[in-house]
Amino acid sequence: MMRRVFAGAALAVAVGGGVLWAYGLAVWQPVTEASGFAENDTYWARDVRWAAATAAVGALLALTRGDRRVLYGAGAWLAADLVLDRAGVTPWPVLALIPAVLLLRPYRANRLVLTTAAAVCAATAPVAAMVESPTDTEAALVPSRLAAAVLLVLAAVGCALAAAPSRATARLGVAAVVGVVAAGAVAAFAASSGELLPGALIGGGLVAAVWALTGPWPGWPRLLGVLGAVLVGYPLLVSVAAFAQIFVPVAALFTALAGSPAVNSADSDVLYVAVGIVPGLVFAVAAAVGRRLDDVVPAGPGAQPHAA
């Protein structure tokens, strides 16, 4: 019964992310290009729909227990987004392809993919809530970034729960509490000014929570240590990822591939999703290395190493 509920929830998040992506591409994206020129945050619709697509991919990974073939589908989805954006095609028929990944049976479970997806979705959720526009007066801006951020939180918790070493009732309860609290926090944050400090607190707390859910129960000293390290590291990594796009014009490349007007030289083209994905990958690697060391290094005097 619990497995069916989990699968239904994951599928709902995946479809919700797909619908938000499709609507953004069909309705909001043309509005951002109506003026014929671009400046800071002109392409907020792209940022929102890519955040929604990230949440959908995370939910599908939770549903398929980390099947790597979902990642191949994510690459095809990105290509389809660029082609459809360039052609100006309404993408509603593409929604029919989203549940197609469910045909990939039997699933090829991969816990590393799940833990990485959990960290990426967790780190991207507050960044999605920070998406802005040149005027910040668009009626669709706050609701859309709120929806994308909440979907990312749910996908992060779903991936963490799918990667958990056990399905004990206590772990399910903790996951539910984390999901509700984090979703409420990120929703309130999305509806506010979107400043870095509260975003860092939400992002760091969520990353630490999914780290705790994906592994054996940590002791309180270690959990508090990880939380402190993430709360300090998260805003630093977000800032570095944003600053790096000045020298590595990832967003400008995708803008050109989509056939959209380039951002003028006085402003900068920043891809918000990349700003969240980079810290997520760093935290995922750090968690994997830390757990690998736990497997081979004795825990204390006289302790025996665990099997790697």
Side-chain angles (χ1 to χ4, degrees), residues 70-156:
V70 175
L71 300 179
Y72 306 148
W77 195 348
L78 173 60
D81 178 279
L82 295 172
V83 171
L84 292 169
D85 186 6
R86 191 179 188 93
V89 177
T90 302
W92 292 111
V94 182
L95 285 176
L97 301 178
I98 294 176
V101 71
L102 302 179
L103 302 177
L104 301 177
R105 289 179 177 272
Y107 301 146
R108 300 173 183 174
N110 190 314
R111 190 166 179 270
L112 178 60
V113 171
L114 278 174
T115 54
T116 302
V120 166
C121 289
T124 307
V127 178
M130 294 181 189
V131 172
E132 298 177 339
S133 73
T135 63
D136 285 340
T137 59
E138 288 82 351
L141 176 61
V142 173
S144 63
R145 72 185 184 189
L146 186 154
V150 170
L151 287 171
L152 281 164
V153 169
L154 298 178

